[in-house]
Amino acid sequence: MTSEPKAPSARAAPLPPVGLLPKLIFGSRWLQLPLYVGLIVAQAVYVLLFLKELWHLVLHSFDASEQQIMLVVLGLIDVVMISNLLIMVIVGGYETFVSRLNLSGHPDEPEWLGHVNASVLKIKLAMAIIGISSISLLRTFIEAGNLGTTRSNFTESGVMWQVLIHMTFIVSAVGIAWVDRLSESGHRKGAEHG
């Protein structure tokens, strides 16, 4: 009987021991856990706010004007967009900076989670902030017809500042995307030469 030679066992080389300071530094990422739990509580508060505003909309739908209903609906959309921003920060931030969620193959895994990193998260957050700012600005524009009257909640300078702040958000998001694109192309060029 001839015995076939055994394939060498594919044991991984033992990892070098990690010192106490690197363990402490790496473990410090778990200090962010209470922050993400706090954001979950904030998410619950936004759900309650949404339900309260929705209840007021339903109760006053017959005696409110179309403009008042539109403003309340825009407020609801604003709450939803802020809630979406919270989810991106909670899930994406936890996955990026604390620990893996191991959701691969889960039917409810968000599409964006598979390719999230700090850079992608920054751009998504910037876009969400622009969306929230846009809704707020739209609400202001709807009420702008009352400028100069006692019914107005805004002044002309207040509207101007909102527009300038919104434009600053847009310029900042474009800047973030541009810097990200530059660093990405730099990484690709470095990989081609290396």
Side-chain angles (χ1 to χ4, degrees):
M1 284 176 102
T2 60
S3 65
E4 293 183 22
K6 292 184 178 178
S9 63
R11 287 189 182 175
L15 296 174
V18 178
L20 181 61
L21 185 59
K23 280 183 184 177
L24 178 66
I25 291 170
F26 185 63
S28 69
R29 71 192 191 282
W30 287 100
L31 290 174
Q32 291 188 357
L33 183 62
L35 305 176
Y36 292 115
V37 171
L39 287 178
I40 293 169
V41 173
Q43 177 87 332
V45 170
Y46 262 99
V47 168
L48 293 175
L49 175 65
F50 181 89
L51 293 174
K52 179 183 128 192
E53 290 300 315
L54 184 63
W55 179 251
H56 286 293
L57 176 65
V58 170
L59 284 179
H60 302 290
S61 62
F62 292 110
D63 49 316
S65 70
E66 181 183 356
Q67 182 177 356
Q68 290 170 325
I69 291 174
M70 189 183 319
L71 289 171
V72 172
V73 169
L74 286 173
L76 292 174
I77 293 170
D78 204 24
V79 169
V80 169
M81 292 184 77
I82 291 172
S83 184
N84 290 342
L85 177 64
L86 280 169
I87 287 296
M88 280 192 284
V89 172
I90 294 166
V91 175
Y94 183 87
E95 173 91 8
T96 302
F97 300 111
V98 179
S99 183
R100 297 266 180 236
L101 291 171
N102 296 324
L103 295 176
S104 295
H106 192 280
D108 292 332
E109 178 186 7
E111 179 270 330
W112 54 268
L113 190 59
H115 54 272
V116 73
N117 58 35
S119 181
V120 170
L121 195 57
K122 277 190 296 190
I123 292 171
K124 285 194 174 296
L125 292 177
M127 296 308 295
I129 289 169
I130 289 171
I132 292 166
S133 176
S134 297
I135 294 296
S136 179
L137 197 55
L138 181 59
R139 289 173 67 186
T140 301
F141 287 159
I142 290 171
E143 290 190 46
N146 296 327
L147 278 178
T149 67
T150 56
R151 296 184 322 168
S152 178
N153 295 327
F154 303 100
T155 63
E156 287 180 18
S157 64
V159 173
M160 180 194 68
W161 278 110
Q162 279 191 338
V163 170
L164 289 174
I165 291 169
H166 181 71
M167 295 305 295
T168 303
F169 287 150
I170 292 172
V171 169
S172 298
V174 169
I176 289 170
W178 183 67
V179 168
D180 186 53
R181 186 173 182 145
L182 285 178
S183 67
E184 231 179 68
S185 66
H187 286 291
R188 272 188 253 131
K189 285 180 183 176
E192 289 170 3
H193 295 309

